[in-house]
Amino acid sequence: LMVETKIKCSFCNENAVTRIGYAKLWLCKEHFIQFIEKKVFNTFKRYGLGGKNWRILAAVSGGKDSVSMLYILHKLSKDIGFELIALHIDLGIGEYSKISREVVENLCKSLGIPLIVLDLKELTGFNLPEMVSKTKRPPCSLCGLIKRYLINVAAQELKANAVALGHHLDDLIPYIIKNFVLQNLFEISKLGPKTDTLNGLVGRIRPLYEVSEDEIMLYAYLAKLPFVQNECPYSARKGLEKTIREFINNAEKRHPGFKIAFARSIAKNIEIYKNIGKEEPLKQCKICQSPSNSEICSFCKITAKVAGKPLGSEVKTKIAKIAQLHLLNLNHTSTT
Ligand code: Q46
Ligand code: ZN
Ligand code: ZN
C-alpha cells in the first residue's frame, strides 16, 4: 500500500505515501494517520458505537489490528468521553503468547490504559495446547469459544457497555459472504458494526468496521505502534475464506469503494438478518448461569472434558475478583 512518489499529498505540500482509491486521495504520512483516525471517529458516530460515560472493554491480542484499534480508541476516548479498559487473554501458546502479552502490557503502560490480563492456565489449570490435546477439537474453534466466554464474563463483571473487537473489512466480508453462501443468515446479523447487549451477552462493537487490512497495516507502521509480528502457530487461513478474500480484493481493485459499500449495506440490513434466520433465544447454563445455546454452556462442557469437572462457576468467581480489584483501583486513582 505504501509508495515512494513525487506526487503531492491532496491536503499539504508533503510527498504522498499512499493513494486511497475509493476516496480519490493521495496522502502523506500525517494526513493518512488523520484520515484513518477520522474514519474510526465517523464509524463511531455513524453506527452509534459508544457515547459519553460509556465503559468500553477493548479485547487486545497484540496483533496489528487490535493494537491499532486500542491506540485509536485511546485517542477517541478523550474526544467522545468514554472510559477505556484493555483486556488481554494469555492463552499459554508458548513463545507466541509470551511475546503477545509483553507487547500489550508495555503498550498499555506507555499509554496509561488500565489493563486486565486473564491467564487461561491460572484460571483453569490448563493452557490452550493442553486443552487442544485433551479435547482433540480444532484449536481455533476451541480458542474462539474460550475467548468469547472469558471476554463476556469480564465485560459483565466490569459492567462494560460494550466489548470492542479489532475486526476489519477483510476479516468480516469473507465471513459474511461465506455465511450467505451457506445461508447461515442469522450469523450475518452478528457481523455488523455492533451487536446489542442481550440475554447476558454484552454487546460488541467493531470500530475498524470500515477500515481495510492494508490500511491498518500501514497505520500501525506509520504510527510506529509495537505489535506482534509472529503468527499464532495454529493460525491457518482456510480454503473458502481465502478464495473469497482474493475475490473481494480483486473487486476492490476494479471497483474502488466496493468493500465499504458492501459493509454499509450489510449494516443497513442487519435487522432483516436478525429476523430471517431467527435462532432460539439463549438459555442460561445450568452450571455457571452464562448465556448458552444448550442446557450446559460450551465452556463448562469443554472444561469438564479437560479437567474432569465443569469450571464455569469457578472461573467466573476468579474473574469477578480480578474485576472488583480493578474497579477499586480505578476509583482509588480517580479520587486521589
Ligand atoms: S489465537 Fe486462537 Fe487465533 Fe491462535 S488458536 Fe486460532 S483463534 S490462530 S485469532
Ligand atoms: Zn499531507
Ligand atoms: Zn457454563
Side-chain angles (χ1 to χ4, degrees):
L1 190 68
M2 182 140 159
V3 287
E4 289 277 330
T5 80
K6 290 257 176 314
I7 299 173
K8 295 285 176 218
C9 168
S10 307
F11 296 114
C12 73
N13 241 339
E14 293 294 315
N15 285 347
V17 293
T18 189
R19 183 177 139 74
I20 307 290
Y22 58 86
K24 298 194 175 70
L25 292 173
W26 286 94
L27 297 175
C28 70
K29 178 185 157 198
E30 286 313 316
H31 280 110
F32 174 75
I33 289 177
Q34 273 183 30
F35 176 81
I36 296 296
E37 292 172 356
K38 185 84 198 298
K39 195 201 275 221
V40 177
F41 180 81
N42 289 341
T43 302
F44 252 76
K45 296 280 165 209
R46 176 185 284 268
Y47 303 114
L49 300 192
K52 206 170 161 49
N53 299 328
W54 274 43
R55 174 172 290 157
I56 294 180
L57 183 64
V60 189
S61 68
K64 65 180 189 322
D65 309 335
S66 59
V67 160
S68 303
M69 173 187 76
L70 184 72
Y71 186 72
I72 300 174
L73 284 183
H74 177 60
K75 291 189 171 189
L76 293 190
S77 64
K78 290 167 201 143
D79 296 341
I80 299 179
F82 58 80
E83 177 191 340
L84 181 65
I85 302 175
L87 176 73
H88 176 73
I89 296 176
D90 185 338
L91 297 159
I93 310 176
E95 219 21 45
Y96 166 73
S97 290
K98 232 177 116 191
I99 301 171
S100 305
R101 181 175 176 156
E102 273 171 22
V103 163
V104 178
E105 282 175 341
N106 291 337
L107 179 70
C108 288
K109 208 168 162 195
S110 72
L111 295 173
I113 301 171
L115 166 69
I116 292 185
V117 177
L118 298 180
D119 186 313
L120 186 61
K121 180 108 184 173
E122 275 171 23
L123 291 173
T124 65
F126 300 88
N127 59 30
L128 190 77
E130 288 164 345
M131 289 193 171
V132 169
S133 75
K134 290 205 173 242
T135 58
K136 309 261 181 315
R137 297 240 332 209
C140 291
S141 91
L142 188 65
C143 179
L145 84 83
I146 289 169
K147 286 190 289 198
R148 276 194 298 278
Y149 184 86
L150 299 180
I151 291 172
N152 193 57
V153 171
Q156 276 186 315
E157 295 300 335
L158 289 162
K159 299 192 174 49
N161 299 81
V163 171
L165 301 172
H167 300 149
H168 49 63
L169 282 171
D170 296 272
D171 289 325
L172 292 162
I173 295 181
Y175 223 66
I176 293 169
I177 295 182
K178 188 177 149 193
N179 278 306
F180 183 78
V181 171
L182 300 173
Q183 288 295 289
N184 296 328
L185 300 178
F186 188 74
E187 284 304 306
I188 298 179
S189 73
K190 301 177 194 163
L191 299 170
K194 71 169 185 177
T195 62
D196 297 322
T197 297
L198 199 65
N199 298 328
L201 261 188
V202 179
R204 278 161 277 166
I205 58 169
R206 299 191 168 97
L208 306 182
Y209 189 68
E210 295 197 358
V211 185
S212 72
E213 177 156 40
D214 282 349
E215 287 175 327
I216 272 305
M217 182 56 121
L218 186 58
Y219 179 87
Y221 173 72
L222 293 177
K224 298 199 171 59
L225 299 180
F227 61 87
V228 187
Q229 311 261 0
N230 316 36
E231 274 216 42
C232 169
Y234 291 121
S235 95
R237 281 204 173 139
K238 282 168 268 134
L240 183 56
E241 262 166 66
K242 204 174 156 217
T243 314
I244 301 174
R245 260 173 194 260
E246 286 162 10
F247 157 74
I248 61 167
N249 280 327
N250 248 326
E252 180 70 30
K253 248 184 234 151
R254 291 182 181 205
H255 310 278
F258 160 80
K259 288 184 194 177
I260 291 182
F262 186 96
R264 286 186 182 167
S265 312
I266 289 290
K268 210 169 113 204
N269 283 345
I270 216 83
E271 290 301 321
I272 299 178
Y273 288 107
K274 269 187 207 163
N275 294 317
I276 301 184
K278 214 169 194 130
E279 280 185 346
E280 298 242 319
L282 284 180
K283 303 183 182 75
Q284 262 195 351
C285 169
K286 270 188 176 167
I287 297 165
C288 72
Q289 276 78 50
S290 288
S292 163
N293 288 322
S294 49
E295 301 276 290
I296 296 176
C297 75
S298 333
F299 187 81
C300 283
K301 280 185 199 154
I302 287 292
T303 46
K305 217 174 197 180
V306 173
K309 58 170 185 176
L311 296 178
S313 306
E314 223 171 278
V315 165
K316 278 179 94 170
T317 311
K318 286 186 187 169
I319 297 179
K321 276 195 193 137
I322 298 173
Q324 261 155 31
L325 249 172
H326 181 84
L327 292 177
L328 271 176
N329 268 338
L330 279 184
N331 282 337
H332 181 72
T333 28
S334 60
T335 48
T336 48

